Amino acid sequence: MNKEEIRDVILEIIQDIDEDADISDLQSDLPLRDQLDLDSMDFLDIVMELRKRYKLQIPEADYPELASLDSCVAYLEPRLKDS
Amino acid sequence: MVSYDHIIIGGGLSGLAAGIRLARFGFKVLILEQHSRPGGLNSYYYRQGRLFETGLHAMTNFADPGKKDAPLNRLFRQLKLSRKAFATLQQQQSTILFPGDRSLRFTNDPQVLIDEVARLFPESAERFRKLVDLVVGHDPFQPRPFASARKILTKELANETLADMLLWPLMMYGNSCEHDMDFDQFVIMFQSIFLEGFFRPEGTIKDFIDLLLNHYRDLGGEIRYLAPVKSVTQDAGRVRSVVLASGEELAAKFFLSTAGYPATLVFLGQDDPSRLDQYSGKMSFVELIYLIPSEIRSKLRAEDTIIFYNFDSPFDYCCPDEAVNVNCGVICFPENFQDLTIGNECQVRVTHPANYHHWKKLSQDEYYPMKSLWAKRSEAVVGKIIGNYSQNIVYQDSFTPITIERYTGKVNGAIYGSPEKIRDGRTSMSNLFVAGTDQGYLGIVGAMLSGVTMVNQHLLQTSEH
Ligand SMILES: Cc1cc2nc3c(=O)[nH]c(=O)nc-3n(C[C@H](O)[C@H](O)[C@H](O)COP(=O)(O)OP(=O)(O)OC[C@H]3O[C@@H](n4cnc5c(N)ncnc54)[C@H](O)[C@@H]3O)c2cc1C
């Protein structure tokens, strides 16, 4: 997947997790958590959803890499290049 | 042998919630339920063509769908269920009644209780407001040893009657210890009942269980009924498989038991009696269910959703010396929720603390007369509070600690399980965890939160899959 596709997947997963998530004016360099009012449990759901869809294991130590949309894309791009 | 990622023992609310959470992420999950239907303590049955809910007075933790971080809404999000599509009806009002005509009313607006305390105990009004702040600021989920809620309340409120009146509903709806309550548990119950409040689903508990069950199945989860687990096989500190009463063996990588901690120790063969006794609750109850014609409601005191009454002085939450203690109890009008249309008949449900051992020793011939005897005694006391309804009963049913034990396997019929909770859910086996009542979250919403929390803590973030 390319950057754009990964970005869309993340946004899709977020909307899937939270029916009320408003992604219309999301700043891609700022923490998702604050902008979307996500808690750590919601965060776990993003990780689990990636695991389910792409068999991708993200170790807990790497969770901070998923803080913003930009950092998610940077972290996932090499890992999902063949997906 | 068939093998699963996860096997969940028990198809009550904690088991169903855990199952949904796991199936949602693509794991191969099996729920094993001993009974012929799901729901556990919170199920339903049919009599005379009418559906009766076994355990529903009200659900706790009411929150409007918009409040994202409220426990109820988080729970729905975690289960991938739409909170908006789940129609809820809020309580009318509830009342705590104590000797000397003392009464405190509360609704889902915490201000009502604050005002009521100020009316009845003006000298304690300020202290009560401080207690509310203390509760709001307290994180009850940090691991801590037992702290006496009574002691803390005595210190904070300096008013024993007020402390007792606050404790009574919270104990009745979620305390497995006698006499006192763990302060963390007090805080959880205070928030879920006094600050968030009571509601019920617009539909029946059957609709609610069907919603969970269909969702679980749609996500690929499997459930088997009439499949009681008898034991587990072990290997080097891990559970390998569960063995059913039929002798069938089923393997999995991880196991979650919602059957209660004593039952789980029995599965493991760690059934030394003193250990089992340590984890066996003493608090059980009888529940009396009446159907009365709706037109007589106008002659009764029937505006509350729930009345928590206590006429014992001093007040003590404990297993009674007699078979039942009718001096205290809960009276619920399951039709008294906002916007609920009332049909020709309505229910009155009454719950009293009961002594399991008195009921256990009865023969078949003695059991039914004993039920009627105590129902009569209960009606005499409850009639004084809400007015006489005895002559108008269209249908009545009751269940005792023995009924609870028979249908859910709860040792001693102890609805709230072990007085010592296994907060971290761990057992002596590295891949077996407990959830539900004996993990520590109580009630319908609590049991579901327990299932979800244990899955999150132990079963999702592991690299062993
Ligand atoms: C009369 C009554 C009224 C109540 N009223 C309310 C209320 O108004 N509001 C509220 O919030 N809560 C209420 N509760 C409490 C609430 O029902 C429980 O706290 C909650 O349902 C517990 O869920 P659980 O999953 O932890 O346990 P359970 O419901 O006990 O689930 C455990 C399941 O495991 C199964 N099981 C046990 N042993 C085995 C085995 N060996 N093999 C396979 N399966 C096994 C059982 O059959 C059961 O289905 C009430 C309870 C009762 C009894």
Side-chain angles (χ1 to χ4, degrees):
Chain A
M1 279 194 283
N2 64 27
K3 283 196 169 72
E4 207 47 46
E5 287 164 337
I6 293 176
R7 211 185 128 87
D8 286 342
V9 162
I10 298 291
L11 292 175
E12 185 196 315
I13 290 178
I14 289 172
Q15 283 181 302
D16 196 40
I17 287 171
D18 178 4
E19 58 179 342
D20 296 321
D22 178 10
I23 55 162
S24 54
D25 41 33
L26 207 58
Q27 303 276 314
S28 63
D29 56 337
L30 296 181
L32 289 166
R33 254 181 115 133
D34 307 345
Q35 298 184 79
L36 293 170
D37 204 9
L38 297 179
D39 60 31
S40 55
M41 300 220 275
D42 297 319
F43 228 75
L44 177 60
D45 287 12
I46 300 181
V47 172
M48 293 310 298
E49 203 58 45
L50 288 166
R51 177 193 173 281
K52 177 174 131 189
R53 295 185 186 196
Y54 308 108
K55 304 272 165 276
L56 183 69
Q57 286 280 6
I58 303 178
E60 217 175 326
D62 289 357
Y63 290 3
E65 310 270 356
L66 304 176
S68 72
L69 202 49
D70 285 348
S71 70
C72 276
V73 173
Y75 177 80
L76 294 171
E77 198 188 2
R79 291 171 173 80
L80 293 177
K81 62 177 189 303
D82 302 324
S83 296
Chain B
M1 198 186 337
V2 195
S3 183
Y4 291 85
D5 290 322
H6 301 269
I7 286 180
I8 298 171
I9 306 170
L13 289 166
S14 61
L16 286 172
I20 290 173
R21 186 84 185 129
L22 289 164
R24 165 182 178 179
F25 295 118
F27 293 106
K28 189 169 155 65
V29 197
L30 173 66
I31 296 178
L32 295 168
E33 168 55 49
Q34 60 172 8
H35 196 37
S36 56
R37 89 166 40 128
L41 286 175
N42 224 282
S43 192
Y44 54 90
Y45 60 97
Y46 294 93
R47 286 283 182 283
Q48 305 181 339
R50 198 187 152 106
L51 180 134
F52 286 92
E53 294 169 325
T54 53
L56 183 70
H57 291 176
M59 285 169 75
T60 55
N61 301 84
F62 178 77
D64 279 318
K67 280 183 86 184
K68 270 180 97 163
D69 54 357
L72 180 69
N73 298 336
R74 273 189 169 172
L75 174 66
F76 270 72
R77 217 152 67 230
Q78 292 267 300
L79 296 179
K80 211 172 182 327
L81 283 169
S82 167
R83 170 66 181 87
K84 282 184 187 150
F86 176 62
T88 53
L89 308 173
Q90 296 194 59
Q91 69 161 326
Q92 308 277 16
Q93 61 165 40
S94 293
T95 300
I96 307 163
L97 278 183
F98 259 57
D101 270 337
R102 289 197 183 88
S103 78
L104 284 177
R105 208 163 55 82
F106 64 95
T107 68
N108 291 358
D109 174 4
Q111 192 59 42
V112 173
L113 181 61
I114 293 174
D115 294 344
E116 282 280 289
V117 169
R119 175 186 60 78
L120 192 62
F121 303 104
E123 70 289 357
S124 307
E126 188 50 35
R127 281 171 174 270
F128 179 66
R129 271 193 294 270
K130 289 213 177 99
L131 178 75
V132 174
D133 292 342
L134 177 77
V135 165
V136 170
H138 181 88
D139 175 5
F141 301 106
Q142 294 300 321
R144 279 189 206 90
F146 181 96
S148 159
R150 264 189 188 290
K151 279 203 186 119
I152 296 174
L153 291 180
T154 305
K155 180 170 149 267
E156 296 297 325
L157 296 171
N159 180 336
E160 206 167 323
T161 309
L162 174 57
D164 286 346
M165 289 180 81
L166 295 171
L167 278 167
W168 174 231
L170 308 188
M171 287 175 145
M172 268 310 265
Y173 273 2
N175 188 21
S176 52
C177 318
E178 295 184 87
H179 317 300
D180 202 346
M181 188 170 193
D182 178 33
F183 186 67
D184 287 332
Q185 186 65 22
F186 172 84
V187 167
I188 294 173
M189 297 304 296
F190 192 102
Q191 290 195 322
S192 55
I193 292 178
F194 291 145
L195 302 183
E196 298 176 326
F198 292 134
F199 72 98
R200 65 158 298 140
E202 194 177 50
T204 63
I205 197 73
K206 178 178 186 303
D207 299 329
F208 185 60
I209 290 168
D210 286 346
L211 171 78
L212 298 175
L213 200 58
N214 291 335
H215 187 46
Y216 172 67
R217 290 211 178 103
D218 289 345
L219 292 167
E222 288 177 48
I223 183 162
R224 278 174 61 179
Y225 300 108
L226 301 172
V229 171
K230 278 283 170 253
S231 63
V232 302
T233 65
Q234 308 164 37
D235 182 22
R238 293 176 68 86
V239 171
R240 241 175 3 101
S241 64
V242 294
V243 183
L244 304 184
S246 62
E248 187 182 355
E249 203 177 328
L250 297 153
K253 290 182 195 141
F254 295 92
F255 299 83
L256 188 67
S257 171
T258 70
Y261 197 58
T264 307
L265 290 173
V266 171
F267 299 154
L268 288 164
Q270 299 170 1
D271 48 358
D272 119 51
S274 72
R275 188 126 188 260
L276 291 187
D277 192 55
Q278 178 189 354
Y279 293 105
S280 300
K282 305 283 178 285
M283 286 309 299
S284 193
F285 303 91
V286 295
E287 173 118 335
L288 305 150
I289 302 160
Y290 304 95
L291 221 50
I292 57 171
S294 299
E295 73 254 15
I296 74 151
R297 282 170 60 97
S298 58
K299 299 193 201 98
L300 300 177
R301 167 188 176 149
E303 58 282 349
D304 287 285
T305 304
I306 301 169
I307 299 171
F308 299 88
Y309 77 88
N310 164 60
F311 296 146
D312 276 334
S313 186
F315 155 76
D316 191 12
Y317 176 81
C318 61
C319 174
D321 294 332
E322 289 192 272
V324 181
N325 182 2
V326 293
N327 277 335
C328 60
V330 175
I331 306 165
C332 170
F333 295 93
E335 274 79 8
N336 285 1
F337 286 84
Q338 294 175 27
D339 306 318
L340 193 69
T341 28
I342 300 176
N344 294 335
E345 286 162 355
C346 65
Q347 286 183 64
V348 181
R349 303 182 73 121
V350 179
T351 314
H352 303 287
N355 182 316
Y356 166 83
H357 297 283
H358 277 276
W359 292 95
K360 185 68 185 173
K361 65 176 191 227
L362 300 176
S363 68
Q364 276 284 333
D365 293 346
E366 295 164 326
Y367 182 71
Y368 292 99
M370 183 84 148
K371 272 183 145 186
S372 329
L373 172 74
W374 283 101
K376 285 275 162 280
R377 290 180 178 168
S378 167
E379 283 156 35
V381 177
V382 173
K384 285 195 194 123
I385 300 169
I386 65 167
N388 194 343
Y389 56 100
S390 293
Q391 289 91 37
N392 301 90
I393 298 167
V394 177
Y395 171 77
Q396 90 182 67
D397 197 4
S398 60
F399 54 89
T400 69
I402 305 305
T403 326
I404 298 166
E405 185 182 55
R406 177 163 359 113
Y407 286 106
T408 69
K410 289 267 179 292
V411 182
N412 295 348
I415 295 176
Y416 300 134
S418 168
E420 275 180 58
K421 297 303 182 192
I422 316 296
R423 292 262 179 198
D424 67 2
R426 289 180 194 279
T427 68
S428 58
M429 299 285 123
S430 66
N431 63 340
L432 168 68
F433 302 93
V434 295
T437 306
D438 282 349
Q439 188 264 323
Y441 296 73
L442 301 174
I444 299 170
V445 176
M448 295 176 72
L449 284 169
S450 169
V452 162
T453 308
M454 289 301 102
V455 166
N456 288 348
Q457 278 180 19
H458 301 299
L459 304 177
L460 291 181
Q461 284 153 304
T462 163
S463 52
E464 290 178 48
H465 285 296

